[in-house]
Amino acid sequence: MSAEHLTKESFLKKVFDYENNQEWNYKGERPAIIDFYADWCGPCKMVAPIMEELSEEYEGLVDIYKIDTEAEQELAAVFGIRSIPSILFIPVDGQPQMAAGALPKAQFVKLIEEQFNVETPA
């Protein structure tokens, strides 16, 4: 399964309805990673295949989403995205954590294990 692209509408349903809630209230059943990117961004293009690999390796354990900051400017503004790629790590319980920049795959795996308490699939 590949990373799912979110629009504002799907974000409000699957992640967080910021129009009706002031407090963070994650709607998902599994931890999630959201990659805020743009098609013209070089570092974003380096992260894209890593996101696809992670979405396959962690299928059923972690949801991987992508948000095009050019097409979804409101979502980028809600999260104060100033540079891309920006990666949002969302645990099932607790507050999300933002990481900026193109991270190597090993760093994503480490963050998934630490932030989400999810074992790396064999």
Side-chain angles (χ1 to χ4, degrees), residues 19-38:
E19 292 183 326
N20 294 308
N21 292 295
Q22 299 298 312
E23 294 252 334
W24 175 259
N25 181 14
Y26 178 51
K27 293 177 170 271
E29 296 174 5
R30 293 183 285 266
I33 297 173
I34 300 178
D35 173 17
F36 289 89
Y37 77 99

Side-chain angles (χ1 to χ4, degrees), residues 34-97:
I34 300 178
D35 173 17
F36 289 89
Y37 77 99
D39 289 335
W40 52 262
C41 163
C44 299
K45 290 177 184 172
M46 292 169 29
V47 170
I50 295 170
M51 287 293 151
E52 294 303 320
E53 288 174 26
L54 292 173
S55 69
E56 289 178 19
E57 291 170 18
Y58 289 92
E59 185 173 354
L61 300 171
V62 177
D63 293 329
I64 310 287
Y65 299 118
K66 296 176 72 66
I67 294 177
D68 181 346
T69 57
E70 297 287 302
E72 301 296 334
Q73 293 182 5
E74 182 178 326
L75 285 176
V78 165
F79 284 94
I81 304 299
R82 300 268 179 264
S83 64
I84 48 175
S86 285
I87 315 294
L88 187 64
F89 291 85
I90 306 171
V92 174
D93 296 312
Q95 293 298 308
Q97 303 288 321

